[in-house]
Amino acid sequence: SGRSRCGPASLNRIMARRVFSSRASSAVALLSLVCTQAVLAEPDALDWGLNAGAGAFSFRNSLYADRQPDPSVDLGDRWTEFYVKPWLAAEHTTGSATVFGRASYAYTITASDSPDMFGGDASSGDFDDAYIGVRFGNPETGTWKFAGGRYPFELGNGFLISDGYGDGGERGALWSNARKAFGRAAHVQYRNARHRFDAFHLQRNDRPEFDADTRITGVSYDWTAPGRALTLGASVLALSSREYRAALDGARIYNLRAYLLEDEHYSINAEIVREDNGSQLDATAGYVHGTYTMPGAGWPLTLEYRYAFFEGDDPSTPANEAYNPLFPGFQDWGTWFQGEIAGGWFLSNSNMRSHMLRLTAKVSDSLRLGLSLFDFTLDQPGSYATGVTSRDLAREIDLIADWSPTDYLSITFTLANGKPDTALEEAFERTSNFRYGMIYVSLAYD
């Protein structure tokens, strides 16, 4: 799946023509659009907008091995991505109920000889949002919401579920990740000042070459303490899947999370996940993330530390302990794509432990600078690659500048350096540093 990057303003994505990946997906999308037009024929509020973006990416020493497989291979990669994504939203209130709907369409392009693992040159157009829903009630006594169609859904802060659409490959624009809605979804929610209950059914819109027909049915509960400083949450998910996600077929996933925000200076987040499917899958993952904003600085400085662990398969046991990261999303740099090099090229959130230290300076209302350090180790070296005995995998440093010269425009500059450690040398004869640079421009006209 692609990363749900958004930058400071909102990196959404592009538009054009493409046959839906399945007739069922087409039916859901078209039905949602027809219902939106029919029910909202005279809406109280009609809104529209356009999101677009373009990026240039460059890698030095991007192949795993230092030596060239043949004289024609360049160890550098350069490519570009583009997207445009218009959207339309409407709502209409009748009595105590409000009917709402949204439709968006994205066209994505990857060009200039992108690396094979990013899918090569490709382009596609497809609907993203195409849903309709109704909500009623009031915040004091509680509100209900029912929604369905091609619908975006995020659980907690996106550690487990956020990205419902697989960009990249023949669809193009893996990094931009223009589309996020699930191919089919139904969502029921009740919430008031202290309690939130969600029930949902989601079908992932995978890339055709990796379509595992993954479906998730779940319930989730969140409790917010008086004063809203502390939120505790729990979720239970039931999955069906096939082919390359076969270990998830019939699995149950249990998730506990806690978010503490104490005034504007510090916060602590923690989450733990257990995946259970008998001998096919018995894995755990989790993280602890602390943030501290220093008061009184000329440039407000924020210091963050996070430890994250994702279990790997122990080759000495008959069970499969390799954690499956499901469909995480982008919250900010380093979540949940860890490292601009490692998270995009040779690491997934499985068989890995990571330490992240991040310092962010808000230079002005329009400019934010960030410096991130990562240390990556393997949970189970024996299941990473043949001959690997060391846990030490890689270290990385990222320098990122987010600049928003206007309310609609944002520009991101990234420089990164990844240093391979013993495990990468054992697996791929890799000793040279990865080097990476990116410029990304996004437009969010909302």
Side-chain angles (χ1 to χ4, degrees), residues 98-284:
T98 297
V99 182
F100 60 91
R102 182 182 174 98
S104 63
Y105 189 88
Y107 182 63
T108 56
I109 300 174
T110 299
S112 301
D113 299 321
S114 69
D116 289 340
M117 67 176 63
F118 273 23
D121 290 5
S123 64
S124 72
D126 199 358
F127 280 102
D128 186 22
D129 307 303
Y131 63 83
I132 188 169
V134 60
R135 58 179 177 265
F136 53 87
N138 63 74
E140 293 184 2
T141 60
T143 60
W144 285 91
K145 179 172 76 170
F146 299 83
R150 292 179 74 127
Y151 180 76
F153 180 82
E154 183 168 86
L155 185 64
N157 69 356
F159 181 66
L160 266 181
I161 298 175
S162 179
D163 183 18
Y165 192 101
D167 282 301
E170 66 181 46
R171 293 174 169 176
L174 174 68
W175 192 98
S176 297
N177 192 203
R179 296 160 286 233
K180 301 178 183 65
F182 286 85
R184 290 180 180 177
H187 180 209
V188 179
Q189 180 188 94
Y190 170 79
R191 68 186 303 169
N192 58 28
R194 301 274 297 276
H195 307 279
R196 170 174 166 171
F197 174 82
D198 294 275
F200 48 89
H201 178 77
L202 311 169
Q203 181 178 354
R204 165 80 168 177
N205 192 335
D206 275 318
R207 287 159 52 177
E209 63 268 35
F210 294 119
D211 187 5
D213 192 26
T214 303
R215 304 175 188 221
I216 304 171
T217 301
V219 292
S220 181
Y221 171 73
D222 292 276
W223 174 79
T224 301
R228 302 180 180 274
L230 174 66
T231 298
L232 303 177
S235 303
V236 179
L237 314 178
L239 280 81
S240 66
S241 195
R242 58 184 174 84
E243 294 183 7
Y244 79 103
R245 290 199 195 103
L248 290 173
D249 191 36
R252 297 292 184 269
I253 297 181
Y254 308 94
N255 169 234
L256 296 175
R257 53 192 181 271
Y259 310 132
L260 173 65
L261 174 62
E262 189 63 33
D263 61 49
E264 71 277 12
H265 295 305
Y266 68 86
S267 66
I268 300 174
N269 299 335
E271 200 157 345
I272 189 165
V273 180
R274 179 165 184 251
E275 299 179 331
D276 181 18
N277 196 14
S279 62
Q280 294 186 69
L281 186 62
D282 183 10
T284 58

